[in-house]
Amino acid sequence: MAPMTAVPVDSAPVTLSTKSFDLDIAETRDFNAALQSNEAPSSVSVSRPAGKHALACGLNQPIEVTIDGHVGYYCAGMNQLASVTVNGNAGVGVAENMMSGTVRIRGDASQSAGATAHGGLLVVEGNAAARCGISMKGVDIVVGGNIGHMSAFMGQAGRLVVLGDAGEALGDSLYEARIYVRGTVASLGADCIKKEMRPEHLVELQELLGAAGFDADPREFTRYGSARSLYNFHVDNASAY
């Protein structure tokens, strides 16, 4: 009898280098499961997303995902380590609750882009709608166009950079998130004020613009932040709550 060849039980799974998915054929659940598995490829290209929701969610590996077309709600939500690029527009809540990694939207983003995100970098090359960066908790968000009303509402930490204009009530009830806007601001929210742009802020902004791939002069931006008058209740500020 020929001797048996032992196979180590702790052998690492074979990882494919690249893989393509056609979402007109593949189901969203199967697609996400493949990206989250131990055998996930290091690079993925996706065609015909057709606005499907919750694509590339919950990724926790340094995988590169390129989606050619428009995506629906909550694309790249809860992202960790992965780099996700959408060559199109994104629906509500793109990169919601992202922890790390990079998400890039080459078109426009709908409401609540980067909502509650704790870390990583979200880049929207076009415009972002209302409530961009709502309750942001450490994420960096860079928007090449305009943002809608109530953006950075209750922003706790992180940086929001806007190369265009900002809508009404920017930074309402802001905590320690920092906001940089190159264009005009329709109005500031409760407790959000214009702040001095010091040398360290110019350096910080230059680094953020570079990371996002935008060529803009940091000196053209205005910095906004919290006045810190809402941290503790005071009867004189009651009307602002």
Side-chain angles (χ1 to χ4, degrees), residues 68-112:
D68 291 318
H70 307 311
V71 297
Y73 299 168
Y74 301 111
C75 178
M78 302 178 290
N79 187 58
Q80 295 186 62
L81 301 177
S83 176
V84 180
T85 300
V86 177
N87 292 320
N89 302 324
V92 172
V94 62
E96 184 264 347
N97 205 37
M98 178 167 69
M99 306 301 287
S100 61
T102 302
V103 177
R104 179 178 294 272
I105 309 301
R106 297 202 178 274
D108 298 326
S110 187
Q111 298 185 53
S112 302

Side-chain angles (χ1 to χ4, degrees), residues 16 19 25 29-30 35 41 47 51 55 87-88 98 101 109 117 142 150 174 178 185 188 202 221:
L16 300 176
K19 189 171 183 178
I25 300 172
R29 183 183 297 273
D30 296 336
L35 268 57
S47 62
L55 296 178
N87 292 320
M98 178 167 69
V142 183
M150 294 293 289
L174 195 68
R178 295 191 290 278
V185 175
L188 296 176
L202 293 172
F221 289 75

Side-chain angles (χ1 to χ4, degrees), residues 131-155:
R131 300 176 183 272
C132 176
I134 182 173
S135 194
M136 54 193 289
K137 295 177 173 65
V139 66
D140 290 327
I141 303 175
V142 183
V143 179
N146 306 322
I147 58 173
H149 64 273
M150 294 293 289
S151 289
F153 171 61
M154 292 188 69

